[in-house]
Amino acid sequence: MRIVIAEDLLLLRDGLVRMLTDTGHTVVAAVDNAPDLERAVLEHRPDLSIVDVRLPPGFRDEGLRAALSVRKQDPKAPILILSQYVERTYATELLADGNGAIGYLLKDRVTALDEFLDALDRVAAGGTAMDPEVIRQLFARNTRDQRISALTVREREVLALVAQGLSNSAICAELVLAPPSVEKHISNILTKLDLPPADNSHRRVRAVLAYLNQ
């Protein structure tokens, strides 16, 4: 796929370029600041953008803001955010439009090559890829959303894997369940989260958003 990278650390940026090129992808632009990211996406219309949360000049959340600006112009533009730390609010903001094609990973995941490339594929295809550490920290929180509280233990396990962006078949393999069982669990989850079939937004993304907001 054609990829734009926005990362201010030269070594990581060059490492990403080399890794992606070696695995058959084309890096159409590699920039180190938020304004150049927006210009690169507008010019190249990439299949995916990989964006560091903190970019010059402020090194706060300029990368995230640029990503949200890109999504405002093109709501389906696939974006994978890289962050040094878990910031739940960042993931929530990115998913808020319900369109999918969003990923949020810690930078440490880059070294797990197969998992990282799988996340790129899922996001580029319109799905989600949430870092397992984000999900783990959410499990450690007290549940405040009554809809989430209504889920069974197994349904929460399935929703956690949905939040990571796993497909039904991958969830089957992870939990050693038959496909009809996973489909039933997901159907129950969507019902309990009050996400009816007539809802035009991405229901799995809405379910993830409900999970992040607990």
Side-chain angles (χ1 to χ4, degrees):
M1 67 183 79
R2 300 169 63 255
I3 298 174
V4 165
I5 296 172
E7 167 60 59
D8 67 291
L9 294 176
L10 178 60
L11 288 177
L12 179 55
R13 186 170 68 248
D14 286 352
L16 284 169
V17 170
R18 179 174 297 183
M19 179 185 69
L20 293 170
T21 301
D22 288 346
T23 53
H25 300 295
T26 300
V27 177
V28 295
V31 302
D32 64 0
N33 62 81
D36 283 351
L37 165 65
E38 293 192 54
R39 284 191 287 268
V41 173
L42 182 63
E43 177 183 353
H44 296 288
R45 302 292 180 179
D47 301 309
L48 177 72
S49 297
I50 300 174
V51 182
D52 184 9
V53 166
R54 299 180 180 183
L55 292 174
F59 294 100
R60 292 185 296 272
D61 61 355
E62 285 84 353
L64 175 73
R65 296 302 154 200
L68 291 172
S69 176
V70 167
R71 293 278 288 195
K72 186 175 182 180
Q73 298 175 64
D74 182 0
K76 294 184 179 181
I79 294 176
L80 177 67
I81 290 288
L82 294 179
S83 179
Q84 192 71 35
Y85 309 102
V86 173
E87 292 285 354
R88 184 173 59 93
T89 53
Y90 291 167
T92 301
E93 284 190 76
L94 288 163
L95 290 166
D97 61 14
N99 287 317
I102 284 294
Y104 179 90
L105 297 180
L106 295 181
K107 288 185 176 181
D108 290 347
R109 297 298 165 203
V110 174
T111 59
L113 183 57
D114 290 342
E115 294 179 14
F116 182 66
L117 293 176
D118 181 60
L120 299 187
D121 289 339
R122 293 203 306 271
V123 173
T128 60
M130 305 304 297
D131 196 282
E133 182 62 19
V134 175
I135 307 305
R136 188 195 68 77
Q137 290 195 22
L138 289 175
F139 268 126
R141 295 170 60 88
N142 293 325
T143 302
R144 295 192 299 268
D145 191 323
Q146 291 184 353
R147 298 174 302 168
I148 297 292
S149 298
L151 301 179
T152 66
V153 173
R154 178 62 84 182
E155 287 166 355
R156 286 172 62 84
E157 289 176 342
V158 170
L159 180 53
L161 295 175
V162 169
Q164 290 182 37
L166 271 64
S167 65
N168 283 15
S169 59
I171 294 173
C172 288
E174 182 73 21
L175 297 179
V176 194
L177 293 174
S181 296
V182 170
E183 291 170 6
K184 182 178 180 180
H185 286 312
I186 291 178
S187 177
N188 289 342
I189 290 167
L190 295 175
T191 298
K192 290 180 180 180
L193 294 182
D194 194 24
L195 299 173
D199 192 334
N200 291 326
S201 60
H202 195 306
R203 296 173 75 209
R204 289 174 77 108
V205 175
R206 292 281 305 282
V208 173
L209 188 59
Y211 183 60
L212 290 171
N213 282 328
Q214 66 175 298

